[in-house]
Amino acid sequence: MKRFVPFIVFMALVGLFGFGIWWNTWHDARYVPSPLIDKPAPDFALPKLDAPEQNVTKASLLGKPYLLNVFGSWCVACAEEHPVLMSDGRRLGIVLVGYDYKDAPDDAKAWLRDRGNPYDLVIADQPGRTAIDFGVYGAPESFLIDAKGVIRYKHIGPLTPEVIAQELQPAIDAVKREAP
Amino acid sequence: MKPRLPGLASRRSAPCARWFFGAAEAKSLRAQGALLHFVLLALLIFAGHAFAATGAIEPLPFKDHAQEVRFQNLTKQLRCMVCQNEDLADSNADLARDLRLEVFQLMQQGKTDAQIKQYLVDRYSDFVLYDPPLQPGTWLLWFGPLAILLAGGLVVAVTVRRRRIAAGANDGNMANTERAGTDPADAGDDW
Amino acid sequence: MTPELGQLALVLAFLLAIAQGVLPLVGAWRGNRALMAVARPAAAGQAVFVAMAFGILVYAFLHFDFSVQYVADNSNLALPWYYRIAAVWGAHEGSLLLWILILNLWTVALAALSHRLPEAFAARVIGVMGLIAIGFLAFILFTSDPFVRLLPMPADGGDLNPVLQDPGMTFHPPVLYMGYVGFSVAFAFSIAALLGGEVEQAWVRWARPWTNAAWGFLTLGIVAGSWWAYAELGWGGWWFWDPVENASFMPWLVGAALIHAQAITEKRGGLRAWTLLLSIFAFSLSLLGTFLVRSGVLTSVHAFASDPRRGVFILAFLTIVVGGSLLLYALRAPKVAGGKPFNVVSRETALLIGNLLLATASAMVLLGTLFPLIGDALHLGRISVGPPYFGLLFPLLMAPVVALLPLGPFLHWGKADGGVLKQVMLRAGIAAVACAIVAAFFVQGQLKAIVGVASAVWIAVGVLLYALKRWREMPRGRRYPAEMAGMLLAHLGVGVFVIGVLLSESLSVTHDVRLTPGQSESVAGYDFRFDGVHRTVGPNWHADQGVVTVLRDGATVATMRPQKRTYSHEQVQTESAVDAGVFRDLYVALGEPMDANDIEGAWALRLYYKPFVRWIWGGGLLMMLGGFVCAGDRRFRIKRIAAEAAAPVVAASPQESPA
């Protein structure tokens, strides 16, 4: 029996590799779950994109749930996501806050002008300092923040109709049920 | 369906290969070719690091050399979230630059290495640590080699003991076999 | 020379591989000499066709045949001819072809040098090599064909990854593959032995030179890769514990264990099962490395995720080859421990401990490499395992090896003389402590450096004492048989490697600076004066080239020219400048200009002072040399008498299970 040990260990490895192949066919290897889920969103104070003299803070957004969508005019995947937000954004039934990440304000404005602006409000984080507190590491990223300012759900990568239907919309419904 | 990868937290030219070639940025006619280039990276032992080769070289105003060394050591133990095959010290990604600066500033504020690591773990999870913390989930990782060593050690001990008993049994002819190997080529040479 | 001919050649090679893999094994089983005789011609024919396919691909690259997708993807009109040849193994399909070509080289060498082996045994060995070839040829034909056409043909191609456009990198993959694939010979010997139910362990003696040679190549391949990473990447590092590196390191460790286990089995008859198992492991880990690297299971940030077929194919192949061999081992490995008895204090025990530690180290590297995947599978969250983990555990496991290393040769087989041992330990120990004390004054009390000096002296003195003993005690001509000389060289290499690693790790100085032309920065007593940056051009790149003059006490030591190249497809690649020396390297990498529009202004530069860093590769080269010298020992040449004596045993029916 002892002589079967290497064979058994190897077959366990094969199982692991099989799992790896299967996992990688539907799982994004770069995806890292955020430790901030169900934790209060970090405090921030960022200028509005079209009115830099006005600051938007976490406190000023409390009271209503909102979807914080990190984007940038330089970001290719954001351009892919954009039409989805244009068509489905309104139907989410939630405030859409655009988070313009590491972007020149003029580029961002032109980008929104050319493609349309799906957001109720756009804040700009040109230095990218606040984004570190949010644990942003790629764009687009979307944070669902409830009325009490707690991050309830995060999606990394472009929102697609599938993601919205399967994950985002149920999360939004849940958040809205507890804080009408 | 495999979710599409998020875009790169950078607007400069491709800071890391893996991302670059996977991203829609490979918009040239050679898109397919670029993908193959990527595959190539995987074939070569060291190429995984290759694209940071554009260098993450930034002089920072360190207090003294000791602090610079501490910074170099610390950023080597942290993983870059954007180019996930690179450490923070050497990644050329925009976010890596930002985080290096953040680490530097935290150091100036007198934070310890452990506090700085915690700061990043709070935001990006344990994944940023190349040195996985010891917790029930990583017991296998940290103690597995020890278990293998002990199990192997036991087998070696048993083998040696068994053979020694055998050695005791025919100690008489041992001197013999030792002096003259059975093979004429080895005769008289205990090699 | 149409590429379709290349494809045809591969198909023919595949058919011949089937003949080579099936008929001789059947022949050996049924005792049919005609079928056994197929082995050599089939192997030779397969090699001819694979070489033809390879040649056609080289030709396509040399003649810019962009109608071949693979050529168009990996070369362009501006690429110099030598890099067009290197481009053949510049991506997945071509490097697989190179892999198969090298497998064929080993097989042909084996076929040519095995005429004195018992007929059935040789037929089995070559047959097993054929089975491996079937798998790889099927892989290339069904999933990774390098001859696929691209229509319409583009006017110019893409580019070879600039990373590859370096002499070090062009030769690193072939040599590495020589090592990986070389282990297939030891593997084939063990499988043949298991299939034939060898009672004798003669096969181990025949397998030894092949194992040593393969290990030597693998060592050289790893050294070349490490040196390239150091010279090219601008980070001054030489090893990163990256999954891809680990994939090559695991077979190396097991190979080192195997070399020593084979010595016991061959000379004392013991450890037969363990030697069989290690031969299987060494090659399995080579295959596993291929799987890990190509299936994208680990490094996958995507690549194969888009084409899981390749991953599935390699996994299936791996399961058949490795699973099959391990099952065969479980069923047929010798059940009774044979060989001569030995005492607790004996060479056998020392080798066993060494084997245990090397095997454990290899298992540790495997565990650390796969753990992120285990974490995913068990929902432990995303986990990173990196240099801090390996860098802690590996030295711990290797410390006893270093401690035992110089004693090994002094230990007699069977029963060692404690007195001699004490004397050696005393002498080497005193030398090590004395040198460590002297070194302590030079290294600012860095413990790591002191330990490095002490362990290196401990090893080196032990090796030299043994060399001296042989010189005194043995008659001329019998003093250093090649096998022993190889051992001494390789062991000395370990010492050189250890001192290189520990001194360069602890005493290196890295300094990022911003310099305007004319400004100087002092690092470790050297003044690096930045003399500005200018534009320069190469065959298919243009670059910003910095000039840095290094002075010591006012005298010029070196003029260094680090570059930042932009290749024809806008890929940027740094070329670090290295001033190599026996006791120190000076190293400069060019960063970014402080003002992107003014390249003649200030630049960010990284300056390194790296003492003893060459000793790392020097040690590796000594180990490689040791492997090759060992492989050349005359004792390993097969004697006809021995072969004939063994023949009846092998010809016996394989159903006859060993006792």
Side-chain angles (χ1 to χ4, degrees):
Chain A
M1 200 51 218
K2 220 171 59 189
R3 302 203 175 276
F4 281 91
V5 171
F7 176 73
I8 294 164
V9 171
F10 173 75
M11 288 325 271
L13 275 183
V14 168
L16 183 68
F17 295 146
F19 162 81
I21 293 176
W22 169 77
W23 179 259
N24 278 339
T25 51
W26 62 276
H27 225 266
D28 178 357
R30 281 185 74 246
Y31 171 74
V32 180
S34 171
L36 292 168
I37 304 296
D38 291 330
K39 300 237 171 73
D43 285 320
F44 61 88
L46 291 168
K48 281 190 182 170
L49 178 65
D50 42 10
E53 65 287 352
Q54 293 178 38
N55 257 1
V56 177
T57 62
K58 180 187 168 193
S60 67
L61 290 173
L62 286 179
K64 249 200 277 179
Y66 58 99
L67 186 73
L68 190 73
N69 179 251
V70 181
F71 76 101
S73 66
W74 48 267
C75 154
V76 181
C78 301
E80 280 176 44
E81 180 190 58
H82 187 266
V84 178
L85 285 178
M86 287 303 285
S87 60
D88 296 2
R90 288 285 136 241
R91 271 182 272 151
L92 292 174
I94 192 170
V95 178
L96 264 184
V97 179
Y99 185 111
D100 183 30
Y101 175 48
K102 287 190 93 92
D103 213 354
D106 288 341
D107 292 350
K109 282 181 207 159
W111 194 79
L112 289 172
R113 201 168 44 239
D114 294 347
R115 295 162 196 255
N117 183 350
Y119 305 110
D120 299 298
L121 168 72
V122 181
I123 54 180
D125 181 12
Q126 200 175 348
R129 176 63 195 70
T130 307
I132 293 178
D133 288 338
F134 272 96
V136 171
Y137 69 92
E141 290 189 7
S142 306
F143 296 83
L144 176 62
I145 298 172
D146 70 12
K148 293 182 197 126
V150 175
I151 299 176
R152 300 295 294 272
Y153 167 82
K154 177 183 177 184
H155 179 75
I156 301 168
L159 290 169
T160 59
E162 294 84 20
V163 172
I164 291 175
Q166 286 160 20
E167 296 176 18
L168 182 58
Q169 194 67 60
I172 290 175
D173 293 344
V175 167
K176 280 168 76 180
R177 263 199 304 279
E178 49 189 74
Chain B
M1 202 200 103
K2 186 184 169 65
R4 289 296 305 266
L5 300 175
L8 179 71
S10 163
R11 57 211 164 85
R12 301 205 185 143
S13 65
C16 55
R18 308 203 171 245
W19 194 220
F20 172 50
F21 291 126
E25 267 172 305
K27 55 187 171 255
S28 72
L29 288 171
R30 300 267 144 241
Q32 265 185 305
L35 209 88
L36 284 174
H37 280 312
F38 168 73
V39 172
L40 140 90
L41 287 181
L43 299 182
L44 303 165
I45 288 204
F46 292 83
H49 306 275
F51 274 75
T54 46
I57 302 176
E58 336 160 281
L60 291 167
F62 293 103
K63 267 205 312 245
D64 50 30
H65 185 64
Q67 195 184 43
E68 183 173 8
V69 171
R70 193 184 141 210
F71 177 83
Q72 285 162 357
N73 287 337
L74 181 59
T75 49
K76 277 208 181 306
Q77 294 172 39
L78 298 168
R79 190 193 276 264
C80 171
M81 295 292 291
V82 178
C83 305
Q84 293 184 353
N85 272 1
E86 296 170 4
D87 58 36
L88 208 51
D90 295 313
S91 180
N92 206 33
D94 250 13
L95 181 65
R97 282 171 202 275
D98 290 353
L99 289 178
R100 275 196 298 271
L101 208 60
E102 201 65 33
V103 169
F104 174 74
Q105 278 161 5
L106 291 169
M107 261 182 188
Q108 303 309 312
Q109 292 165 22
K111 295 276 197 299
T112 64
D113 285 8
Q115 285 170 325
I116 296 173
K117 283 185 183 173
Q118 192 56 45
Y119 173 91
L120 289 166
V121 167
D122 287 343
R123 284 156 181 77
Y124 294 101
S125 84
D126 283 343
F127 189 67
V128 293
L129 301 179
Y130 267 125
D131 199 0
L134 186 61
Q135 55 200 29
T138 57
W139 283 352
L140 174 64
L141 177 69
W142 285 104
F143 300 123
L146 185 67
I148 296 169
L149 188 65
L150 289 180
L154 202 67
V155 173
V156 168
V158 168
T159 310
V160 170
R161 199 182 144 73
R162 212 179 272 156
R163 305 307 291 157
R164 191 181 54 134
I165 294 163
N170 48 1
D171 220 0
N173 32 7
M174 240 179 84
N176 247 347
T177 41
E178 216 166 285
R179 291 291 156 260
T182 43
D183 190 314
D186 309 333
D189 192 353
D190 178 29
W191 167 242
Chain C
M1 294 276 268
T2 57
E4 280 72 20
L5 280 180
Q7 208 160 1
L8 186 66
L10 283 181
V11 172
L12 291 173
F14 178 61
L15 296 176
L16 282 168
I18 293 175
Q20 180 197 331
V22 176
L23 301 182
L25 286 177
V26 172
W29 175 39
R30 314 296 299 177
N32 182 332
R33 302 189 63 167
L35 287 180
M36 286 191 249
V38 172
R40 286 192 178 83
Q46 188 203 335
V48 166
F49 284 117
V50 170
M52 199 184 282
F54 193 84
I56 289 170
L57 194 58
V58 171
Y59 183 89
F61 267 103
L62 286 177
H63 289 79
F64 303 107
D65 188 352
F66 298 132
S67 70
V68 178
Q69 171 98 48
Y70 185 77
V71 176
D73 286 338
N74 294 294
S75 69
N76 57 38
L77 293 171
L79 197 67
W81 66 269
Y82 38 92
Y83 289 136
R84 291 211 301 283
I85 293 180
V88 172
W89 52 86
H92 174 78
E93 289 85 346
S95 57
L96 260 183
L97 191 55
L98 177 69
W99 179 290
I100 296 169
L101 181 70
I102 288 174
L103 179 63
N104 278 284
L105 289 181
W106 280 104
T107 313
V108 167
L110 185 67
L113 296 174
S114 63
H115 279 287
R116 291 179 174 180
L117 286 185
E119 200 178 359
F121 188 79
R124 285 201 188 96
V125 173
I126 297 173
V128 173
M129 299 288 278
L131 292 178
I132 300 165
I134 294 175
F136 274 97
L137 281 164
F139 185 45
I140 203 169
L141 281 173
F142 298 129
T143 72
S144 320
D145 187 348
F147 295 106
V148 172
R149 289 279 197 174
L150 176 64
L151 294 169
M153 175 172 148
D156 196 357
D159 201 358
L160 176 65
N161 192 319
V163 163
L164 265 187
Q165 299 187 28
D166 173 86
M169 208 53 184
T170 53
F171 115 110
H172 155 65
V175 177
L176 191 70
Y177 289 2
M178 282 297 284
Y180 272 163
V181 183
F183 283 133
S184 66
V185 180
F187 170 81
F189 271 98
S190 332
I191 297 301
L194 283 170
L195 283 173
E198 285 339 274
V199 186
E200 299 268 323
Q201 63 268 8
W203 69 272
V204 180
R205 171 170 296 195
W206 305 327
R208 283 191 71 188
W210 298 94
T211 316
N212 281 301
W215 184 82
F217 278 116
L218 188 57
T219 312
L220 181 61
I222 296 175
V223 166
S226 164
W227 175 77
W228 166 84
Y230 167 83
E232 191 76 351
L233 295 186
W235 303 356
W238 52 275
W239 190 260
F240 303 96
W241 294 107
D242 179 276
V244 192
E245 291 165 358
N246 292 349
S248 74
F249 194 45
M250 291 184 283
W252 187 88
L253 286 169
V254 170
L258 174 61
I259 285 173
H260 293 91
Q262 282 181 338
I264 302 186
T265 308
E266 186 228 334
K267 291 189 171 143
R268 309 293 291 180
L271 289 194
R272 281 180 298 168
W274 176 240
T275 302
L276 284 166
L277 195 59
L278 275 183
S279 320
I280 297 173
F281 279 165
F283 184 59
S284 303
L285 285 169
S286 298
L287 286 180
L288 192 78
T290 320
F291 168 76
L292 290 182
V293 171
R294 275 168 224 201
S295 65
V297 158
L298 286 182
T299 41
S300 137
V301 184
H302 39 277
F304 290 90
S306 54
D307 184 9
R309 271 190 320 154
R310 285 178 183 169
V312 171
F313 192 105
I314 310 183
L315 184 58
F317 179 56
L318 198 68
T319 311
I320 294 168
V321 173
V322 182
S325 332
L326 290 177
L327 200 58
L328 189 67
Y329 168 84
L331 297 172
R332 309 213 38 161
K335 298 226 169 28
V336 180
K340 298 171 185 147
F342 54 86
N343 251 313
V344 177
V345 183
S346 64
R347 191 180 288 171
E348 285 93 329
T349 311
L351 288 175
L352 268 175
I353 295 172
N355 255 264
L356 169 67
L357 290 162
L358 286 167
T360 308
S362 184
M364 182 273 291
V365 174
L366 184 66
L367 182 66
T369 308
L370 294 182
F371 199 76
L373 190 60
I374 298 176
D376 282 342
L378 303 181
H379 295 289
L380 304 174
R382 297 291 314 276
I383 294 163
S384 304
V385 182
Y389 172 82
F390 299 108
L392 174 70
L393 293 191
F394 187 69
L396 282 181
L397 285 170
M398 285 301 111
V401 172
V402 167
L404 275 177
L405 198 66
L407 306 180
F410 286 100
L411 291 162
H412 290 279
W413 292 112
K415 186 180 181 183
D417 176 0
V420 177
L421 218 55
K422 270 183 206 144
Q423 207 184 10
V424 175
M425 282 162 80
L426 194 67
R427 287 180 181 171
I430 288 174
V433 171
C435 289
I437 291 172
V438 174
F441 289 104
F442 291 94
V443 297
Q444 298 100 42
Q446 289 262 15
L447 190 63
K448 216 171 171 184
I450 297 170
V451 170
V453 170
S455 4
V457 170
W458 166 257
I459 294 175
V461 169
V463 169
L464 292 179
L465 281 177
Y466 191 72
L468 205 65
K469 175 179 139 85
R470 295 289 299 185
W471 180 266
R472 283 216 198 102
E473 291 177 5
M474 299 302 289
R476 189 197 295 264
R478 298 270 310 273
R479 284 173 181 145
Y480 306 111
E483 189 196 351
M484 177 189 296
M487 182 269 299
L488 292 174
L489 281 172
H491 284 186
L492 195 63
V494 175
V496 173
F497 173 79
V498 166
I499 201 170
V501 172
L502 290 173
L503 283 185
S504 77
E505 296 272 289
S506 57
L507 301 179
S508 285
V509 181
T510 310
H511 204 31
D512 282 1
V513 288
R514 171 191 177 279
L515 292 177
T516 50
Q519 218 179 342
S520 282
E521 179 72 27
S522 176
V523 174
Y526 292 88
D527 291 315
F528 291 76
R529 189 184 71 215
F530 180 54
D531 292 336
V533 166
H534 58 269
R535 285 274 154 100
T536 179
V537 289
N540 56 339
W541 46 265
H542 60 85
D544 296 331
Q545 178 172 284
V547 178
V548 174
T549 309
V550 185
L551 303 125
R552 179 159 212 180
D553 304 326
T556 304
V557 177
T559 304
M560 307 178 69
R561 295 191 169 79
Q563 293 177 343
K564 188 162 194 133
R565 290 183 184 172
T566 307
Y567 281 85
S568 41
H569 286 252
E570 297 302 316
Q571 304 110 312
V572 177
Q573 173 77 22
T574 54
E575 288 285 316
S576 315
V578 180
D579 180 54
V582 177
F583 297 109
R584 57 101 191 101
D585 272 20
L586 302 175
Y587 186 121
V588 179
L590 197 59
E592 306 270 344
M594 287 297 141
D595 173 3
N597 299 318
D598 178 20
I599 69 153
E600 281 166 9
W603 279 72
L605 291 161
R606 182 170 287 181
L607 312 175
Y608 293 98
Y609 162 75
K610 295 202 155 281
F612 286 85
V613 69
R614 298 254 129 203
W615 291 47
I616 295 173
W617 306 298
L621 290 180
L622 275 175
M623 290 185 227
M624 168 210 79
L625 197 63
F628 287 141
V629 167
C630 228
D633 197 311
R634 269 188 316 175
R635 225 167 44 79
F636 297 141
R637 296 201 192 136
I638 302 152
K639 277 159 277 181
R640 193 173 286 283
I641 317 113
E644 274 163 15
V649 179
V650 224
S653 157
Q655 272 88 352
E656 227 179 85
S657 206

